[in-house]
Amino acid sequence: MNDSRLDERSREEDAWPAATGVRPTDAEWDARIEAFLQQIRTDPSLGREQAQEALGELRGQQRLDLESRLMWLVGHSHLRDDRMVEAAVALHRAVGMAQTIRRVDLEADYLATLGAVQANMGAFSEAIESFERALGLHRSLPPSPADALLPAKILGNFGTTFVMMGLPHKALPLYQEARDRFLQLGLVRDVAACLSNCAFAQIKLAEREARSTSAPLSSAALAAARAARELAVQAQADPLLAAEVYSSINLRLMIVRADIILGDCAAALRELDRIDHFLVSDAHRSYWRTDRMILRARLLRLTGHASESVAGLQAVPLDDLTAVDQVSVLEELISTQESAGDLAGALASFRRYHELTLQARDQTAEQRGQVLNARLELERAQHQAEIERLRAEQLTLRNEELARQAHTDALTGLPNRRGLDAALANRIGRQHAEFACVLADIDHFKKINDRYSHLVGDEVLRRVGALMRELVRDGDVAARYGGEEFALLLDRVDARQAVEVSERLRAETAAQPWGQIVDGLAVTISLGVAMRQAGDSAEALLGRADDCLYAAKAAGRDRVVAL
């Protein structure tokens, strides 16, 4: 096994404080999520349970940013537990949430993890697509030191995907670029891990080349093995990796494999024996059992003990191993049986090997089908939610339009009496608001209708309304009060200013080219102005303005009267 498993990492945060009974702040959520992540690294099941409980706490709060981060944790925990289908489903949900709230940074991060899961499932084309999408999204973000880790992590996972695909030569430049980026960030642990991954890629390259019988490729195999051994020794010298049992043993196994290709079986055997001293628990011995067993059998075969190697490999209880380990054992057994001249046995082993690879293919297809079905269900749910959102949005717009229509005069487009009453009540409700109320009436409007028709009368109303809208300031109100009457609410004016505005409106109305509508048409208006007084009700203020308007008409019309 190798140390290049695709995984995720996050920045360090403070620990989550004890529960206080109040809703956590965003900073507290950050700390809590980091605590969950640390728990997942040591106990994925417990960390997942904590993240799922936190998701329940957020139900109904419309915090998709936090929900998506917690869903990512759920997916990450499944990845750590080798539950790839469950991991993919959770991560697809996290990606969907990030897309809904347009958080490109989160979407890129989640896609990077999803690509790791897809690669571990054997869905390599999908994994590459996820990595490329993640890198593309990251490039669209403003440069940020806090986000510089993501591309380095993606490059490393990209490289491991190529190793899994049997293309180690494509992985090497990606690991090296990731290493350079980690070095710039000062992340020495990740620099060392990239070095280890480079060693593993070189080993895979060397073993692939060693299977060829042509001399140039054999030379390439030896060169790759030397490079792998040198890298593994260099990584082994790093105190951070040396302190980790997993990394340390993997590096020693790489050295064994390199020595085998280089033909130094004695050195390989000595190194393999040393590894046993590091296997301090039954879990360790079980985890590396297959690798050690295969390498020991290979060494027996290469040192002329093929029959002993076959016996050891045939004694392996295959049913107790994972499908991947079963295939690895059978591959070695086939080679050993061929070396021993047992072609019939090699054929039987190959048939078992072929059966397992078909089963693995079917299992992979089934897993991908389960993920696809889950994605389709998620997309259907998202589609239905979008339909409901659009319906609600349309209903809101319709209600707003109905409310606008209820407060708007259809002929002039000005607020109607209902709209005027609402605006007036708002101003009356503000105790110290200073404003003027102006009522205007088109003079002899009935005669206009009778002489020129109601169509002409309607056009006169429209033009007077438009003129009022042009002359008042933003924030003032011009409304159709009823019939041929209009009203103005002029904010922050004194009596003199209110009269000046009214006089300007009167003069502009009289000066309009009314004859363009119909020959002989002339239009004037009369206006009454009343200032808001302390203790005024809307009725009282309108009553005083109406009294002034009546006085203007009684005085001969086409004039302004103020109180």
Side-chain angles (χ1 to χ4, degrees), residues 534-547:
D536 261 344
S537 64
E539 292 77 10
L541 181 57
L542 286 170
R544 290 204 310 278
D546 193 52
D547 289 342

Side-chain angles (χ1 to χ4, degrees), residues 64 94-103 107 382 386 389:
L64 284 183
V95 169
M97 292 177 186
Q99 290 172 338
T100 298
I101 57 177
R102 293 179 173 82
R103 283 291 302 273
E107 183 183 354
Q382 291 174 333
E386 181 65 12
R389 185 190 67 79

Side-chain angles (χ1 to χ4, degrees), residues 260-468:
I260 289 174
I261 296 171
L262 293 169
D264 194 348
C265 293
L269 186 58
R270 286 195 302 272
E271 189 67 38
L272 192 60
D273 289 338
R274 290 194 192 102
I275 291 174
D276 290 341
H277 299 296
F278 293 89
L279 303 177
V280 296
S281 69
D282 289 339
H284 287 154
R285 282 186 285 273
S286 175
Y287 191 82
W288 282 283
R289 175 180 58 181
T290 304
D291 296 82
R292 290 160 55 238
M293 180 173 50
I294 289 173
L295 290 174
R296 197 171 293 279
R298 189 176 301 170
L299 283 166
L300 286 170
R301 170 170 59 87
L302 293 172
T303 54
H305 300 85
S307 57
E308 186 179 345
S309 175
V310 169
L313 290 169
Q314 287 179 329
V316 175
L318 290 179
D319 292 338
D320 293 342
L321 304 180
T322 66
V324 172
D325 285 348
Q326 288 181 48
V327 168
S328 298
V329 170
L330 287 170
E331 285 178 334
E332 189 63 34
L333 179 58
I334 292 167
S335 297
T336 304
Q337 287 171 321
E338 288 178 340
S339 296
D342 183 7
L343 299 183
L347 179 59
S349 297
F350 180 80
R351 286 172 176 162
R352 180 73 185 277
Y353 168 85
H354 182 63
E355 179 184 346
L356 281 173
T357 54
L358 290 178
Q359 290 176 358
R361 184 196 64 183
D362 293 342
Q363 182 180 16
T364 298
E366 181 181 355
Q367 289 179 335
R368 294 174 71 176
Q370 291 173 350
V371 174
L372 178 60
N373 286 335
R375 282 188 64 186
L376 289 174
E377 290 179 8
L378 174 61
E379 289 171 2
R380 279 194 291 268
Q382 291 174 333
H383 181 64
Q384 187 60 39
E386 181 65 12
I387 290 174
E388 295 300 326
R389 185 190 67 79
L390 290 173
R391 283 176 179 168
E393 187 176 277
Q394 289 172 351
L395 181 60
T396 299
L397 291 173
R398 178 60 178 161
N399 288 338
E400 290 175 352
E401 176 62 18
L402 289 174
R404 189 192 67 78
Q405 291 176 5
H407 289 77
T408 303
D409 175 57
L411 181 63
T412 64
L414 296 176
N416 59 16
R417 176 62 186 270
R418 190 179 288 111
L420 174 67
D421 288 344
L424 187 55
N426 177 269
R427 286 162 173 76
I428 290 291
R430 300 201 300 267
Q431 184 176 358
H432 300 293
E434 185 177 11
F435 66 94
C437 178
V438 180
L439 291 183
D441 186 90
I442 299 175
D443 297 328
H444 303 297
F445 185 71
K446 184 176 183 303
K447 291 181 180 180
I448 294 173
N449 279 335
D450 292 343
R451 181 176 178 183
Y452 299 106
S453 81
H454 285 280
L455 290 177
V456 172
D458 287 349
E459 182 61 23
V460 169
L461 289 170
R462 275 192 288 267
R463 294 202 180 188
V464 170
L467 188 59
M468 286 188 170

Side-chain angles (χ1 to χ4, degrees), residues 226-260:
R226 292 190 191 98
R229 195 182 198 288
E230 182 180 342
L231 288 167
V233 170
Q234 185 181 348
Q236 196 178 44
D238 189 287
L240 290 172
L241 291 185
E244 296 179 1
V245 173
Y246 182 92
S247 299
S248 178
I249 293 176
N250 271 326
L251 289 168
R252 290 179 181 276
L253 287 171
M254 290 181 208
I255 293 172
V256 171
R257 293 165 76 168
D259 284 341
I260 289 174

Side-chain angles (χ1 to χ4, degrees), residues 8-53:
E8 275 293 274
R9 54 178 287 115
S10 293
R11 293 178 293 277
E12 297 294 328
E13 301 281 353
D14 297 329
W16 169 241
T20 60
V22 298
R23 183 172 293 180
T25 64
D26 285 351
E28 289 170 335
W29 269 115
D30 288 344
R32 192 177 184 187
I33 287 171
E34 178 60 24
F36 294 159
L37 179 60
Q38 297 302 329
Q39 183 64 63
I40 286 170
R41 286 171 176 163
T42 57
D43 188 341
S45 297
L46 179 57
R48 179 167 59 250
E49 181 181 336
Q50 293 171 341
Q52 289 170 330
E53 288 176 357

Side-chain angles (χ1 to χ4, degrees), residues 25 38 131 188 194 199 254 328 368 470 485 494:
T25 64
Q38 297 302 329
F131 291 143
V188 292
C194 284
M254 290 181 208
S328 298
R368 294 174 71 176
E470 291 173 5
E485 282 191 278
D494 56 25

Side-chain angles (χ1 to χ4, degrees), residues 439 527-530 543-553 560-563:
L439 291 183
L527 303 98
V529 182
R544 290 204 310 278
D546 193 52
D547 289 342
C548 291
L549 175 59
Y550 181 79
K553 286 184 170 294
V560 176
V561 172
L563 183 64

